[in-house]
Amino acid sequence: MPTETSPYLLLAVFLVAALFFSVTPLLAAWLWARRYSPRKPGPEKNAIYECGLKSKGDAWVQFRSEYYLYAIIFLIFDVETIFLLPFAVAFTGLPVGAFIAMIVFLLLLVEGLVWAWRKGILTWA
């Protein structure tokens, strides 16, 4: 006599497995840190340093907002390169639709670059 199980039993098993695999390393790291970390940090541990050297001056230096825009534009074109690489590798085996989609993608990115250029965002000052 076959017994029927609930269709949600498999989901429950996956939920328990996901919780186990995510919580176990966190618990192990916490136990390791409790066992082997120093209990009381000293003044050397709390000291501010940069690359092993003592810092000079104030740590709260203001940067111009344009620097963040440079970084964002760099990330956009860096991600573009990531999307272009698989396309370039499989270029000969792709249909015409994929080529047109990639051309549209590139045109949108070039449009963003032209916009940033006209706004003066790329002017280094």
Side-chain angles (χ1 to χ4, degrees):
M1 164 157 90
T3 60
E4 254 185 66
T5 59
S6 171
Y8 297 109
L9 180 63
L10 186 61
L11 289 175
V13 169
F14 279 139
L15 177 67
V16 170
L19 287 173
F20 176 76
F21 281 114
S22 61
V23 172
T24 302
L26 293 173
L27 181 65
W30 179 74
L31 290 172
W32 182 273
R34 251 181 93 80
R35 172 72 174 99
Y36 294 107
S37 294
R39 299 280 187 249
K40 296 179 182 177
E44 285 186 10
K45 185 169 182 175
N46 289 334
I48 299 172
Y49 67 93
E50 181 72 27
C51 299
L53 303 173
K54 290 187 178 186
S55 61
K56 297 177 185 174
D58 190 14
W60 292 99
V61 178
Q62 290 185 352
F63 291 100
R64 294 179 48 184
S65 61
E66 287 85 11
Y67 296 150
Y68 297 107
L69 293 173
Y70 297 139
I72 289 171
I73 290 173
F74 170 76
L75 285 175
I76 288 170
F77 286 99
D78 193 38
V79 170
E80 172 194 358
T81 305
I82 293 171
F83 282 120
L84 282 175
L85 183 64
F87 176 77
V89 169
F91 179 71
T92 58
L94 293 175
V96 175
F99 177 73
I100 293 171
M102 189 53 66
I103 292 297
V104 169
F105 176 69
L106 288 173
L107 287 175
L108 287 173
L109 287 169
V110 168
E111 178 188 9
L113 180 62
V114 169
W115 173 84
W117 201 326
R118 284 189 180 165
K119 281 288 248 188
I121 294 172
L122 300 177
T123 308
W124 191 266

